[in-house]
Amino acid sequence: MNLRAAPYRKTLETLEIYWELVRVIVPVAVLTRLLQDLGVIRAISPIFEPIMALIGLPPELALAWLTGLLVGLWGGVISVFALTPVSALTTADMTVFSALVLVAHAIPIEQRIIQRAGPGFLITAALRGFGAFAFAVLLHQTFSATGWLRTPLQPSWTPMDQSSDWRAFFTDTVWTLLTMLIVLLVLSWLIELLKALGLMARLNKGLAPFFRLTGIDASTVPFASVGLFLGISYGGGLLIRESRTASTDPRQIFLACVFMGFAHSVIEDTLVVATLGANFASIFFGRLVFATLATALIAKVIYSISDNVLYRAFFHRFNWRPKSLLGSNELIRSSTPYVCSRHKGGHSNVRLCVLSRHRG
């Protein structure tokens, strides 16, 4: 009976999370498309031109990055060759631009998903934006100092401007949502099956040394690894469910979300920009190294501050209190101020903290 009940229960939980994702993705996607059609994105892109100068890119690519930030990776890379001729770019240029769009793209959608898991929208979006710029600066300075990759750009293919009407937009959106539903269901079932077979523990053990470098412990590895390989929609979707239990350190949830922001969908997205002429080693291995070091630095910061500061500054509309002070493990969303009481033992133990409405 339990064997039959478990898949049914997980399916219901996954459908609930999926509905939350749909409520985020659809309105944000429609609004972004509307802003694009009205020319708003093009109008505000000059603000980003000074940033392009700091990383040695043509100012025209400011519009491409802004499109990527709001629309997604494909929106950014499709715009590149429509704005700048291939002959005007080098392999280094394409690699630096790829660093920008790989780390920071589809911010309105992806960070809203992250927000559902607890971390605040503004702080995680800002970390991705600054992270993308820092990664691009490091690559630009390396290429400028060494002269590496200064050869003319030779893309394997040149994407055409794939602008489409609203009917095609909605068709693509529905198809994407159906695909996401299938993937989320399969992932949730697969994780439960791997847990039952004892394979999840082995997988976590194999990935744990890598993630340990970032400050992420074994309890959060399954979700961070899903995000790393499949993307934020899937890793974040699983973290939403996990954040509603009392078993995961909220600092670990925050670190997993930060790491996924820096490095997610590393195979598919990397191959896309590599075919456009970006250097694979720089954007794949370089991105992993950057994500590891940046997340480790952020881990030191969040573990050095108090619980109250953490939850007020880095989490969204949630209150936290020690489990020992509550009668239930139920997680309750609240718009009241953040509260994280100290454990009676005198030392704050974030592993005991769960989401709760402040009861004064």
Side-chain angles (χ1 to χ4, degrees):
M1 185 68 180
N2 290 336
L3 292 178
R4 293 182 179 179
Y8 177 72
R9 186 180 67 255
K10 289 300 178 184
T11 299
L12 291 181
E13 291 177 358
T14 302
L15 290 176
E16 181 182 352
I17 298 304
Y18 173 73
W19 175 237
E20 289 201 21
L21 295 178
V22 171
R23 289 165 55 192
V24 171
I25 291 173
V26 172
V28 173
V30 171
L31 177 61
T32 303
R33 174 58 189 259
L34 186 61
L35 293 175
Q36 187 178 22
D37 285 356
L38 292 176
V40 175
I41 296 177
R42 179 177 291 274
I44 64 177
S45 62
I47 299 174
F48 290 79
E49 290 182 3
I51 297 178
M52 297 296 105
L54 291 175
I55 53 180
L57 294 180
E60 293 81 5
L61 291 186
L63 175 59
W65 187 36
L66 182 58
T67 303
L69 277 174
L70 298 180
V71 178
L73 178 69
W74 281 99
V77 298
I78 286 173
S79 305
V80 171
F81 300 120
L83 296 168
T84 309
V86 175
S87 59
L89 298 172
T90 65
T91 302
D93 292 334
M94 192 63 206
T95 303
V96 171
F97 177 78
S98 297
L100 287 175
V101 294
L102 284 172
V103 175
H105 60 260
I107 296 297
I109 290 178
E110 293 186 345
Q111 297 317 115
R112 286 295 178 189
I113 293 173
I114 291 298
Q115 187 181 52
R116 291 284 180 171
F121 178 93
L122 292 179
I123 184 64
T124 54
L127 286 173
R128 283 185 71 181
F130 285 120
F133 181 67
F135 184 32
V137 167
L138 289 173
L139 290 180
H140 171 60
Q141 293 298 326
T142 300
F143 299 153
S144 297
T146 63
W148 187 38
L149 303 181
R150 287 299 173 186
T151 55
L153 182 64
Q154 296 181 332
S156 301
W157 67 288
T158 303
M160 301 298 291
D161 187 359
Q162 297 181 0
S163 59
S164 56
D165 58 21
W166 279 89
R167 174 183 289 184
F169 166 75
F170 281 115
T171 300
D172 292 342
T173 300
V174 170
W175 179 253
T176 298
L177 292 174
L178 288 175
T179 303
M180 184 180 298
L181 173 60
I182 294 172
V183 172
L184 281 174
L185 286 172
V186 171
L187 281 174
S188 63
W189 295 334
L190 180 60
I191 288 176
E192 292 305 312
L193 178 61
L194 292 176
K195 286 181 179 178
L197 296 176
L199 297 178
M200 180 59 74
R202 294 185 181 182
L203 177 62
N204 292 347
K205 186 176 181 180
L207 292 173
F210 167 72
F211 281 107
R212 193 179 301 123
L213 297 174
T214 69
I216 295 174
D217 64 27
S219 66
T220 326
V221 167
F223 317 103
S225 59
V226 168
L228 177 65
F229 294 112
L230 296 181
I232 286 178
S233 296
Y234 305 116
L238 295 176
L239 265 176
I240 291 173
R241 185 182 69 189
E242 186 67 13
S243 68
R244 296 178 179 179
T245 73
S247 61
T248 303
D249 183 340
R251 282 179 168 84
Q252 286 296 308
I253 291 176
F254 186 84
L255 287 178
C257 291
V258 168
F259 179 81
M260 284 192 293
F262 293 147
H264 57 275
S265 194
V266 292
I267 297 176
E268 177 186 352
D269 289 356
T270 301
L271 290 177
V272 168
V273 295
T275 59
L276 298 177
N279 179 259
F280 180 85
S282 299
I283 56 177
F284 183 79
F285 297 108
R287 185 183 178 195
L288 288 178
V289 171
F290 173 80
T292 300
L293 295 177
T295 307
L297 179 61
I298 293 170
K300 288 185 177 297
V301 173
I302 67 170
Y303 275 102
S304 67
I305 60 179
S306 68
D307 291 347
N308 261 343
V309 173
L310 175 75
Y311 305 136
R312 287 179 182 274
F314 296 100
F315 280 78
H316 169 73
R317 290 168 48 204
F318 287 116
N319 299 327
W320 301 74
R321 298 184 72 186
K323 179 180 176 183
S324 59
L325 300 181
L326 300 174
S328 170
N329 290 344
E330 181 183 4
L331 304 179
I332 306 173
R333 183 175 301 141
S334 171
S335 58
T336 54
Y338 298 89
V339 173
C340 184
S341 304
R342 290 284 180 178
H343 184 46
K344 290 184 178 180
H347 179 68
S348 175
N349 186 346
V350 293
R351 291 187 180 278
L352 297 177
C353 287
V354 295
L355 294 172
S356 168
R357 187 182 303 278
H358 177 41
R359 296 180 175 83

